[in-house]
Amino acid sequence: MKKVLVVMGSDSDLKVMEKCVDRLKSFAIPAEVRICSAHRTPAAAEQLAKNAAAEGFGVIIAAAGKAAHLGGVLAAYTTLPVIGVPMGTSVMGGMDSLLSMVQMPKGIPVACVAIDGADNAAILAAQMLALSDEALAGKLRQFKQEMADEVMSRIGGLDDVETVGAISGGMSMSSSSSGNTYSFYILLKENGRTRSNAQMAELITGATQDLDCELSVSASTMDMSALGGSGI
């Protein structure tokens, strides 16, 4: 199997890039880590890129911040694919790094992931190597299946959640007790998921019981028929 060369512009990038190395290890991909500055050690960066293919590397991952030219410099001296990881910065939050990496001139591409996107850089490198390695491709398929299974396990208890296309926002209600009027606003969605009829009923019941009052619902901000009539 081809190796992955992980190059960082500074040892301060190691905390973020450890995730990249760990992900590569999880796929049993051999990786080597080097520190090399595009600006302070340009000759070393040139030799590193020129020799990478002969040393058995199949992909280069370059992490740098601020004027983040490391990926571009390495890409200029090799035909191996180069993946850039822009580092987050204190000045511009990493946008300076991102734009420095992603705005490469025609003919010298660098595949740029998100700011501090070390994990995705490793996965992308694995997918590149998997084009000629069926065993690695199988590991990637298993990895993606495990992600899907994890998501499904989290929503497994929400089988009764409905998708209510016409409804957005929430439901306004008022309740009177001893001459006092209480107003409620219950969101129909939580974390992007539409609440089920049962969940809405539970929230409404809990609110009214706490106030020891009876509830009269007015659907001023929603079409109640979308939830099956009054339904609650």
Side-chain angles (χ1 to χ4, degrees):
M1 180 188 293
K2 293 286 187 178
K3 301 182 293 183
V4 173
L5 177 59
V6 181
V7 187
M8 297 176 290
S10 168
D11 59 358
S12 62
D13 302 328
L14 184 58
K15 184 176 181 180
V16 171
M17 293 306 294
E18 282 178 344
K19 299 174 184 177
C20 176
V21 176
D22 289 343
R23 179 64 68 189
L24 291 170
K25 288 180 178 178
S26 74
F27 293 126
I29 298 174
E32 294 183 17
V33 179
R34 310 279 177 83
I35 295 176
C36 184
S37 171
H39 305 112
R40 298 185 180 93
T41 58
E46 176 184 348
Q47 291 304 310
L48 191 61
K50 284 182 175 180
N51 298 329
E55 293 179 3
F57 295 104
V59 180
I60 298 174
I61 296 176
K66 297 183 179 178
H69 301 142
L70 180 60
V73 169
L74 296 174
Y77 290 108
T78 184
T79 57
L80 295 178
V82 176
I83 302 170
V85 183
M87 294 287 99
T89 62
S90 59
V91 179
M92 297 178 66
M95 283 300 297
D96 44 354
S97 314
L98 174 63
L99 294 176
S100 295
M101 281 192 177
V102 78
Q103 295 285 35
M104 290 298 297
K106 181 179 178 180
I108 312 293
V110 171
C112 187
V113 296
I115 296 169
D116 289 343
D119 204 6
N120 266 358
I123 295 168
L124 181 56
Q127 292 181 164
M128 290 175 175
L129 295 178
L131 291 173
S132 58
D133 189 323
E134 182 54 35
L136 179 56
K139 291 178 182 178
L140 283 163
R141 286 191 292 269
Q142 180 182 353
F143 168 70
K144 289 181 180 288
Q145 185 58 55
E146 289 172 353
M147 286 196 297
D149 291 343
E150 182 181 358
V151 172
M152 294 306 296
S153 69
R154 291 179 179 178
I155 66 174
L158 298 176
D159 292 337
D160 61 334
V161 171
E162 301 176 4
T163 300
V164 186
I167 298 178
S168 61
M171 180 168 59
S172 295
M173 294 165 286
S174 64
S175 177
S176 297
S177 177
S178 303
N180 296 320
T181 298
Y182 303 93
S183 296
F184 305 87
Y185 188 83
I186 299 179
L187 292 176
L188 292 176
K189 289 191 175 183
E190 181 181 31
N191 297 328
R193 298 171 180 161
T194 303
R195 298 186 194 274
S196 67
N197 293 3
Q199 289 169 328
M200 291 291 290
E202 181 180 357
L203 289 170
I204 294 167
T205 301
T208 55
Q209 284 179 344
D210 288 343
L211 292 170
D212 190 24
C213 62
E214 294 182 357
L215 179 69
S216 175
V217 178
S218 62
S220 58
T221 63
M222 63 177 286
D223 178 8
M224 291 296 291
S225 64
L227 282 177
S230 59
I232 40 178

